[in-house]
Amino acid sequence: QVQLVQSGAEVKKPGASVRLSCKASGYTSTSYYVNWVRQAPGQGLEWMGMINPSGGITRYPRMIQGRVTITRDTSTSTVYMELSNLRSEDAAVYYCAKSQMISGYFDFWGQGTLVTVSS
Amino acid sequence: QSVLTQPPSVSGAPGQRVTISCDGSSSNIGAGYDVHWYHQVPGTAPKLLMYGDNYRPSGVPDRFSGSKSGTSASLAITGLQAEDEGDYFCQSYDTSLSGSVFGGGTKLSVL
């Protein structure tokens, strides 16, 4: 069955960087986009960007572009998201989710990774 | 501030019908992009509930339906059940932002 398994919780200081992983299984990982979505405590969902695991092409929202980098390792079917220069407002649960299209729906989600930013 | 606007909360008694609205603009819903809906139980990941405006993934009961008109979409739930409680989010694509956008979420309470 389709699974997206994410790495464990992280605690980082302001100004640091964090790198999260999302390992896909149960489907052809190069055939679908992998997106990152975050949810701050008690808040809504925010799209953080996506990657086409086949060609490695990425897209990021303008508001966070420059601080976020999404990469992939096709040999392990793993997608990574690195967020730099962390601020308190980056504290959130980060989810990876797969989609068939750039403008498509997210049909499977990872379990989420909690990122805490604290000095 | 979310790009798509949803009411913060809705409620209904078991068996009743409720609707959740999702208001967008000419650069997302109004541009013809599909609207998708997710249900999230606190502490868990969102789960796809409706895609392509009004298509239900396998396993989602037909008590759930979606519609879209102009720059708005809505999710209707009939025959409310206790298990329907949670947060509901709408999602679309925004051509100005070149990415996916979400609503702020609506908390459904079954009284």
Side-chain angles (χ1 to χ4, degrees), chain A residues 35 37 39 43-47 59-62 95 102-112, chain B residues 33 36 38 40 44-48 51-52 89 91 93 95-104:
Chain A
N35 300 261
V37 177
Q39 185 173 34
Q43 301 300 309
L45 303 171
E46 180 184 9
W47 180 71
R59 280 200 184 186
Y60 308 109
R62 289 192 202 99
Y95 297 100
I102 291 175
S103 61
Y105 53 89
F106 305 148
D107 56 359
F108 282 95
W109 296 63
Q111 83 275 20
Chain B
Y33 289 102
H36 321 296
Y38 302 88
Q40 184 180 37
T44 68
K47 184 178 178 182
L48 181 66
Y51 66 94
F89 295 91
Q91 177 225 339
Y93 182 85
T95 187
S96 296
L97 300 174
S98 297
S100 291
V101 290
F102 289 93

Side-chain angles (χ1 to χ4, degrees), chain A residues 55-68:
Chain A
I57 296 173
T58 54
R59 280 200 184 186
Y60 308 109
R62 289 192 202 99
M63 281 189 64
I64 205 161
Q65 198 162 15
R67 288 207 299 136
V68 61

